[in-house]
Amino acid sequence: MTVQQPNTYRSGPDERGHFGIFGGRYVAETLMPLILDLEKAYEDAKADPSFQGEIDSLNKHYTGRPSPLYFAERLTEELGGAKVYFKRDELNHTGSHKINNCIGQILLAKRMGKTRIIAETGAGQHGVATATVCARFGLPCVVYMGKTDVERQKPNVFRMKLLGAEIVPVTAGAGTLKDAMNEALRDWVTNVDSTYYLIGTAAGPHPYPEMVRNLQAVIGNETKAQLMEAEGRLPDALVAAVGGGSNAIGLFHPFLDDPSVKIYGVEAGGKGLEGDEHCASLNAGKPGVLHGNRTYLLQDGDGQILEGHSISAGLDYPGIGPEHSWLKETGRVTYVPATDDEALEAFQLLTRVEGIIPALEPSHALAHVMKLAPQMDKDQIIVMNLCGRGDKDVFAVGNMLGFDL
Amino acid sequence: MPETRIDRRFAACREAGRPALVTFITAGDPDLETSEAILAALPEAGADVIELGMPFSDPMAEGIPIQRSTQRALAAGQTMNKTLSMVRRFREKDDETPIVLMGYYNPVYVRDPKKFVVEAKEAGVDGLIIVDIPPEADDELCIPALEAGLNFIRLATPTTDDKRLPTVLANTSGFVYYVSITGITGAAAPDAQKVAVAVNRIKGHTALPVAVGFGVKTGEQAREIGKNADGVVVGSVLVEAVRESLDEAGRATEKTVSAVTDCVRDIAAGARMAKTG
């Protein structure tokens, strides 16, 4: 499918929440009035300078922003091509980019007078970030997490409990992120008056994809200024991992109208795209409607959603934020897969040569940087979003590498 | 649009002085053959309108009973083609009882909505209830369905206020499905008093019949709710009857069909007393 090139890639979505044919609002009637309320509350908040002021203050003093833009000198030497910079969102409070979104949304929930927060989580990074802001603002927090993910992300489960959140393990389906999202929606539809659903990625019904993108765009905005200061120019390439796609859209969005910047989103290739054990919805799925939006989905010919697979719980989702679907169709962003094995290799390489243990999610992005950098000139620049740290994955990786922890 | 089986059936029930009993089963639960036998037996047991669930892997508005029912059907290999064939075969013997397909948008979307509505009409379907496509997206499926001669039945909920009701009702036809609680199917029991107020509120906006569902499990509840409503919808209790009749390996037994029809008879008896006191 080819799509006419727009004048700008940054004006979406339209008033009905569409990015091209993607996005929109496909929810049960019980939720429609709530979503319309949320949209209005968000519009009001955006127009109120004190809302952005509060976000900026918390970003600086609570999260520790701006996160550094770091030139990875030894990795650059190792790969022998383009200069590799990392946007170090793994250094944020709570250990990933997820906190950027949670701070904005908890402030919105407070403005709306909501008294209870629910969230879904895969790897647990969004759950931890949500539990953190709930502790900070004194609101009760319920986190839905697939049972499979509860098993493989034990450190994060414990962190959420320490932070006072209630964890509800979800046994439906394969017990991963998709199923956790279904269960969170069931909670929301039941507790409509009190509850704010704090979605963790740039997906779901409008206005979530736009709102989460705007809250994560701090990543790209900082990157642009920091690289200008360090190198006096734009990067040649951006690379980020995409699960739902919030860290990626946050990095990409401020650069979408800079045509010299090549942009790569890296999907979880799992055990390879030949079979069903991957989560590469953009490379191996087709458009459909799930969780409130139209987007690329892994599905069978009858429209049943497939369970994806990834070594990384945070990428284990059969869909993708709708703006990414549109960026794929317009050709502005190139989406490529990285397999479990490639991510595991990248995880070890970064640990060894830079002394940074990355999460398995950005390890997928790094796997692509390892392919891309050697093909580029030494005076060219790649910026990769190092969106999470690997503490949570140490046990799982230990198992895979044959260590008995 | 021309009069449909749904219009005729609600008119007939009104004339008979009783609410219509709307029964939900999932197509293909617990297997195609048994599901067809249940479908065929529903009218005689007292079902006035049949909602046939199109199974979907991610039924976000359903409670555990219908989630499980959906999973049983998909595990047994149910597909959209098989669901439409069930309706075709039902129509060979019953040309009166309305059938409404109920489900989620994705299986319809991937088939192409414009193609699907024609296929459904040809198979003998009378209406559609698609949970996750709001009136704001009417151009995608609702309008093509109406053009194909299918009723498009919308859900109105406790959160649908008077300001929003006209939007929800604009292209609704056949009947209005009032969701009696904020929540998922088969959960909390509805409060008959509150439901009566809500039904009267909706009737202030439309001449269409109003059927009430979500959480109705007994003949007594059907009788209470049927005092004001034009129809009472039951679903979770019927798919639970299917589940309870299965053997240890999850297969249908000789009791499966009668477990459902017995349950329908009980609730129909309650519903029939609604307007008589």
Side-chain angles (χ1 to χ4, degrees):
Chain A
M1 218 184 304
T2 51
V3 175
Q4 201 186 344
Q5 302 302 306
N7 294 324
T8 170
Y9 291 93
R10 301 188 61 203
S11 63
D14 67 18
E15 71 285 354
R16 286 169 69 195
H18 288 102
F19 302 91
I21 67 159
F22 300 103
R25 264 194 285 245
Y26 298 89
V27 296
E29 174 57 25
T30 310
L31 292 180
M32 263 318 278
L34 280 77
I35 299 227
L36 294 170
D37 279 353
L38 173 66
E39 183 186 17
K40 185 171 182 310
Y42 180 56
E43 290 303 319
D44 292 348
K46 271 200 297 188
D48 176 358
S50 73
F51 178 66
Q52 188 58 46
E54 274 185 276
I55 293 174
D56 291 345
S57 172
L58 285 162
N59 276 350
K60 181 174 177 188
H61 301 289
Y62 191 65
T63 304
R65 300 208 74 92
S67 65
L69 183 72
Y70 167 71
F71 172 47
E73 197 175 347
R74 290 199 68 219
L75 182 74
T76 298
E77 273 173 37
E78 175 88 17
L79 298 178
K83 293 172 85 168
V84 178
Y85 279 85
F86 292 130
K87 181 59 175 164
R88 302 226 23 213
D89 258 51
E90 101 280 13
L91 293 176
N92 293 339
H93 179 43
T94 76
S96 80
H97 68 289
K98 293 293 187 186
I99 190 81
N100 305 331
N101 169 45
C102 288
I103 281 176
Q105 286 202 54
I106 196 93
L107 292 172
L108 186 63
K110 293 282 277 189
R111 281 175 77 99
M112 294 177 74
K114 299 293 181 183
T115 55
R116 175 176 177 266
I117 304 293
I118 58 171
E120 82 297 336
T121 197
Q125 293 303 91
H126 175 57
V128 166
T130 304
T132 297
V133 296
C134 286
R136 167 66 182 76
F137 286 91
L139 289 171
C141 176
V142 176
V143 178
Y144 290 91
M145 187 168 187
K147 194 165 180 292
T148 307
D149 291 339
V150 170
E151 291 299 315
R152 61 179 168 174
Q153 300 287 343
K154 280 183 188 154
N156 273 345
V157 172
F158 184 58
R159 288 162 80 194
M160 286 184 270
K161 284 184 180 163
L162 280 174
L163 289 160
E166 180 193 341
I167 316 299
V168 182
V170 178
T171 52
T176 59
L177 184 52
K178 158 177 99 80
D179 312 296
M181 200 150 180
N182 288 335
E183 213 53 40
L185 284 164
R186 290 182 186 120
D187 180 315
W188 199 23
V189 87
T190 306
N191 300 293
V192 292
D193 291 329
S194 64
T195 298
Y196 183 94
Y197 181 14
L198 209 165
I199 293 184
T201 193
H206 178 64
Y208 283 103
E210 177 193 4
M211 175 166 65
V212 176
R213 175 199 75 198
N214 290 347
L215 292 167
Q216 293 292 2
V218 66
I219 299 171
N221 287 327
E222 286 176 8
T223 298
K224 215 168 191 179
Q226 289 167 319
L227 193 67
M228 199 53 76
E229 196 181 317
E231 297 274 358
R233 67 181 189 90
L234 290 168
D236 298 285
L238 298 174
V239 182
V242 290
S246 71
N247 92 82
I249 202 71
L251 176 66
F252 298 167
H253 196 259
F255 293 93
L256 290 175
D257 286 339
D258 297 309
S260 67
V261 182
K262 290 201 169 70
I263 307 182
Y264 300 90
V266 186
E267 297 193 284
K271 294 177 181 168
L273 265 50
E274 318 66 68
D276 287 338
E277 293 189 75
H278 59 76
C279 282
S281 36
L282 288 170
N283 279 288
K286 60 180 181 177
V289 175
L290 179 71
H291 293 154
N293 58 175
R294 174 162 33 233
T295 193
Y296 273 79
L297 299 170
L298 297 179
Q299 53 184 318
D300 69 14
D302 219 35
Q304 306 297 339
I305 309 303
L306 300 174
E307 299 287 348
H309 158 85
S310 172
I311 189 176
S312 144
L315 303 181
D316 209 344
Y317 180 68
I320 176 81
E323 195 165 8
H324 287 291
S325 291
W326 179 72
L327 290 169
K328 171 199 159 72
E329 294 225 335
T330 57
R332 177 63 188 97
V333 177
T334 305
Y335 294 90
V336 295
T339 64
D340 287 352
D341 289 347
E342 290 170 332
L344 203 53
E345 194 190 324
F347 176 98
Q348 296 172 83
L349 176 72
L350 188 64
T351 305
R352 221 167 43 235
V353 304
E354 292 286 351
I356 299 172
I357 302 178
L360 283 169
E361 291 78 17
S363 296
H364 286 73
L366 185 61
H368 190 67
V369 169
M370 288 162 64
K371 296 175 198 169
L372 194 62
Q375 300 168 21
M376 292 169 66
D377 293 337
K378 291 194 173 182
D379 59 354
Q380 290 189 297
I381 297 167
I382 299 175
V383 176
M384 187 198 104
N385 195 9
L386 188 43
C387 63
R389 61 177 174 240
D391 311 36
K392 69 180 175 65
D393 295 314
V394 163
F395 293 92
V397 170
N399 279 334
M400 286 178 265
L401 297 179
F403 289 92
D404 186 15
L405 297 175
Chain B
M1 64 188 293
E3 196 186 55
T4 64
R5 288 189 192 95
I6 296 173
D7 300 328
R8 287 195 288 274
R9 180 55 56 95
F10 272 97
C13 288
R14 183 174 298 177
E15 196 133 304
R18 61 184 178 83
L21 180 61
V22 183
T23 57
F24 172 93
I25 59 166
T26 301
D29 173 28
D31 60 71
L32 184 57
E33 196 186 334
T34 310
S35 187
E36 289 213 51
I38 295 170
L39 180 64
L42 283 173
E44 191 273 327
D48 294 305
V49 177
I50 296 169
E51 278 180 20
L52 189 60
M54 301 176 281
F56 179 50
S57 53
D58 292 80
M60 285 154 284
E62 314 301 342
I64 297 285
I66 295 180
Q67 287 179 45
R68 284 182 182 150
S69 164
T70 293
Q71 283 164 1
R72 287 193 297 269
L74 290 175
Q78 190 66 15
T79 62
M80 188 68 90
N81 282 340
K82 290 180 183 175
T83 299
L84 292 173
S85 300
M86 280 177 71
V87 178
R88 252 179 242 117
R89 283 193 288 272
F90 177 85
R91 279 279 166 258
E92 288 167 8
K93 292 185 183 146
D94 185 327
D95 198 34
E96 299 294 322
T97 308
I99 293 189
V100 176
L101 291 182
M102 180 165 189
Y104 293 80
Y105 187 32
N106 198 52
V108 172
Y109 177 73
V110 299
R111 207 174 170 95
D112 182 351
K114 291 200 169 74
K115 180 169 155 251
F116 171 78
V117 294
V118 172
E119 286 177 310
K121 178 70 184 176
E122 281 171 4
V125 172
D126 303 288
L128 298 179
I129 300 176
I130 305 296
V131 175
D132 56 347
I133 187 158
E136 284 77 358
D138 267 356
D139 54 329
E140 287 193 41
L141 180 60
C142 174
I143 302 298
L146 296 176
E147 285 170 0
L150 295 172
N151 287 132
F152 201 84
I153 295 125
R154 280 211 180 283
L155 277 59
T157 71
T159 59
T160 316
D161 60 18
D162 281 322
K163 192 162 143 265
R164 185 167 165 79
L165 258 177
T167 307
V168 170
L169 296 173
N171 290 315
T172 298
S173 65
F175 63 97
V176 181
Y177 186 141
Y178 180 65
V179 175
S180 63
I181 51 163
T182 57
I184 52 180
T185 51
D191 176 333
Q193 295 281 317
K194 283 187 187 165
V195 169
V197 171
V199 167
N200 290 333
R201 180 167 70 90
I202 295 168
K203 283 176 173 288
H205 289 264
T206 180
L208 288 171
V210 179
V212 174
F214 278 45
V216 182
K217 296 189 179 76
T218 65
E220 184 51 36
Q221 284 174 309
R223 180 179 170 177
E224 278 303 307
I225 284 173
K227 283 178 182 166
N228 283 280
D230 306 298
V232 179
V233 188
V234 291
S236 296
V237 68
L238 303 184
V239 301
E240 278 297 89
V242 169
R243 187 177 69 87
E244 285 159 12
S245 75
L246 303 177
D247 69 15
E248 282 173 8
R251 285 172 306 219
T253 63
E254 74 274 10
K255 290 186 211 138
T256 301
V257 175
S258 61
V260 177
T261 52
D262 287 352
C263 190
V264 171
R265 268 189 201 94
D266 275 356
I267 296 170
R272 273 157 213 260
M273 289 191 287
K275 309 282 187 199
T276 56

